[in-house]
Amino acid sequence: MGTLIINEFRKLKRCDVLLVFFISLVFTDLLSIFQLYSGNEHSLYNYTDFMNIVIWDSFSLVLPAMIVIFSNYLINVEHISGALKNNITCAVSVNKLYVSKLVALCLINVVFAALNAFLTYLIFLFLPHKSEPIYHSLISTIQLIGISLGVFIAVLPILILFIRQASSYLNVVIAFVYGFVGVFVAGQNLQDYYPITAFLKIVNYNNGSLTYHGNTSYITVFIVLLFSLIAWIFMAQKLKKADYA
């Protein structure tokens, strides 16, 4: 399994989606700057204020769709290059191959979240701002990474259920709508019940307008993971039959 995951990272050398992913993160940061200073250009904000908006824009506009787009690339590259048949010939389990792709995607998502936090901090240094204790900034960085992991878990059922239709990009549209609806769900203080926004409570995100409901977020995440497991068991059988046919 470890070798398969490493091989997935090696394939990224020829992956143009990485650049798209990076550009989307820069776009999120620029949009957050506009939102932060729009109408309040003379106000000063700290890094936590800025990161709160970045986190909000990330889960609602960028991350769900980009994770699915990246997943589509990792899955389609096997079919386009013909490597899938070679892997089967070499007795590589199809299920293990797809699991390695999902694990690699999760790790890539976390790495990009860390890079985005670093990029956000660099951009913030060039903006008018007020200082805050360094540990507050570190907490905000951890929150962004946590939200990125949470979004991956939230879209995991979509990745699994569409794993055989990764070239249709219907899953990208579904993921984008899935994330965007989270804005309205959170606006009604129902974020604990919605998978995309459930991690807001878990990472202790607080923009001053949300009210959390006990441990409901943890239950929501558990249900998503359980559903993902059931979906994978179902899809694993289909994958075996289709790819060995």
Side-chain angles (χ1 to χ4, degrees), residues 22 28 70 86 101 118-119 130 187 198 219 228 230:
F22 179 77
T28 303
F70 214 110
N86 294 333
K101 291 178 181 296
F118 178 70
L119 175 65
K130 58 184 179 181
I219 298 173
S228 298
I230 295 171

Side-chain angles (χ1 to χ4, degrees), residues 5-184:
I5 295 172
I6 292 173
N7 287 339
E8 293 303 322
F9 279 97
R10 287 174 178 164
K11 294 171 187 174
L12 298 178
K13 295 178 182 178
R14 56 182 185 273
C15 178
D16 295 333
V17 180
L18 279 174
L19 179 60
V20 177
F21 208 157
F22 179 77
I23 291 174
S24 70
L25 296 180
V26 174
F27 166 77
T28 303
D29 291 341
L30 295 177
L31 177 63
S32 299
I33 292 172
F34 174 78
Q35 290 175 299
L36 187 64
Y37 289 97
S38 178
N40 300 286
E41 59 273 9
H42 300 298
S43 300
L44 293 179
Y45 300 95
N46 55 38
Y47 181 67
T48 298
D49 296 328
F50 184 35
M51 189 62 89
N52 279 343
I53 298 180
V54 171
I55 289 173
W56 191 270
D57 289 342
S58 293
F59 82 73
S60 62
L61 296 176
V62 176
L63 276 179
M66 285 309 306
I67 289 173
V68 174
I69 289 173
F70 214 110
S71 171
N72 286 353
Y73 169 82
L74 287 179
I75 293 170
N76 282 333
V77 70
E78 300 291 338
H79 297 277
I80 294 172
S81 65
L84 182 60
K85 292 182 179 179
N86 294 333
N87 286 325
I88 294 173
T89 304
C90 296
V92 175
S93 167
V94 175
N95 290 341
K96 282 187 177 180
L97 181 64
Y98 283 115
V99 169
S100 69
K101 291 178 181 296
L102 292 176
V103 173
L105 180 62
C106 180
L107 295 175
I108 292 167
N109 182 47
V110 170
V111 169
F112 262 91
L115 290 175
N116 187 28
F118 178 70
L119 175 65
T120 303
Y121 191 76
L122 289 181
I123 293 175
F124 180 74
L125 292 178
F126 290 94
L127 299 174
H129 64 273
K130 58 184 179 181
S131 60
E132 67 176 4
I134 187 67
Y135 69 88
H136 284 178
S137 300
L138 290 175
I139 289 173
S140 296
T141 298
I142 294 171
Q143 286 177 332
L144 180 60
I145 296 173
I147 286 296
S148 298
L149 178 61
V151 172
F152 174 82
I153 292 174
V155 300
L156 189 56
I158 298 175
L159 301 181
I160 293 172
L161 292 174
F162 284 85
I163 205 164
R164 287 293 298 165
Q165 295 101 26
S167 60
S168 70
Y169 286 93
L170 173 63
N171 52 356
V172 177
V173 176
I174 293 174
F176 176 78
V177 174
Y178 186 30
F180 191 68
V181 169
V183 175
F184 304 98

